[in-house]
Amino acid sequence: MKKLEIYTDGSCNPNPGVGGWGYVILEDFCAPIEVCGGMKETTNNQMELTAAVMALQALESRAEVTIYTDSQYVRKGITSWVKGWKRNGWLTASRKPVKNQELWQALEEACSNHIITWKWVKGHNGNAGNELADKLAEQGRQKAIGGNESATKIADESSALEKCLSLIGKMNKSELRVLSSSIDKRLSK
């Protein structure tokens, strides 16, 4: 099973207002995968949740994932609060509807195929992965301001190709068959 690290972040300025989300997927021996997107009418919490949902939905196979977020709302929500909300019919302890229910349900569904450890990191505190996710979220917000609300994948393709070719050169026949099968599956999508 693959072991991955994911850094996610969301931003919104003003809040509510134009927002962006971003994530970075890190896997040994592969170039980082960096993706961002945004929306014109949203909240910071919606963007934080969207970043996590989009990152997990991007994974093509079951993985052991450590997700780093600077949002206690996301970390505590998915690891603790969601159980009570579901038990209460998606109502809070004060019997009010849970905000962002659809995103919480999407996040829960996206988590279901993976083994996930959620870790909180302090935002804007020098953590390289968090800083990159924050930069991506801001890029997504800027794209939304400009009218382009779609996700953008950012990658250093030549670096990724060099690393992959180096790894392929070290593989045995069995590993090459698995790789070939994986490539065929991706191409047939």
Side-chain angles (χ1 to χ4, degrees):
M1 182 181 312
K2 281 190 201 182
K3 290 188 177 186
L4 305 171
E5 290 186 337
I6 299 176
Y7 289 84
T8 66
D9 202 10
S11 85
C12 193
N13 188 13
N15 187 20
V18 180
W21 55 267
Y23 66 80
V24 182
I25 299 176
L26 303 173
E27 181 180 2
D28 287 343
F29 309 112
C30 293
I33 297 170
E34 304 171 9
V35 180
C36 65
M39 295 177 67
K40 288 186 184 253
E41 296 294 326
T42 190
T43 66
N44 191 72
N45 284 341
Q46 289 170 344
M47 293 293 90
E48 294 281 1
L49 283 164
T50 299
V53 169
M54 297 299 280
L56 289 168
Q57 288 178 347
L59 303 181
E60 296 176 358
S61 61
R62 183 170 166 78
E64 188 174 324
V65 183
T66 302
I67 299 181
Y68 297 89
T69 177
D70 61 10
S71 170
Q72 290 284 18
Y73 174 71
V74 171
R75 189 186 67 80
K76 288 181 179 178
I78 197 63
T79 61
S80 178
W81 303 338
V82 75
K83 295 171 191 132
W85 293 336
K86 285 171 58 176
R87 202 173 33 249
N88 292 336
W90 288 98
L91 297 175
T92 65
S94 60
R95 310 304 295 164
K96 294 182 180 173
V98 171
K99 290 182 181 178
N100 306 313
Q101 177 182 338
E102 297 83 12
L103 285 168
W104 285 113
Q105 290 170 324
L107 182 56
E108 199 173 32
E109 172 67 25
C111 290
S112 67
N113 192 38
H114 307 287
I115 299 168
I116 300 177
T117 302
W118 291 88
K119 294 195 175 183
W120 180 79
V121 294
K122 185 172 180 162
H124 311 287
N125 203 36
N127 179 294
N130 177 257
E131 296 293 338
L132 180 53
D134 179 70
K135 178 180 167 187
L136 290 166
E138 180 56 25
Q139 286 178 10
R141 194 178 81 74
Q142 291 300 322
K143 288 175 190 278
I145 289 170
N148 180 359
E149 297 184 24
S150 63
T152 303
K153 189 171 185 176
I154 304 164
D156 180 356
E157 306 218 358
S158 63
S159 173
L161 180 59
E162 287 173 21
K163 287 180 182 180
C164 288
L165 289 174
S166 172
L167 286 173
I168 290 169
K170 297 174 186 174
M171 290 180 168
N172 64 36
K173 287 182 183 180
S174 174
E175 292 169 326
L176 286 169
R177 279 193 292 276
V178 170
L179 176 63
S180 176
S181 174
S182 175
I183 291 170
D184 288 344
K185 286 178 187 173
R186 271 190 171 181
L187 293 174
S188 66
K189 286 185 179 180

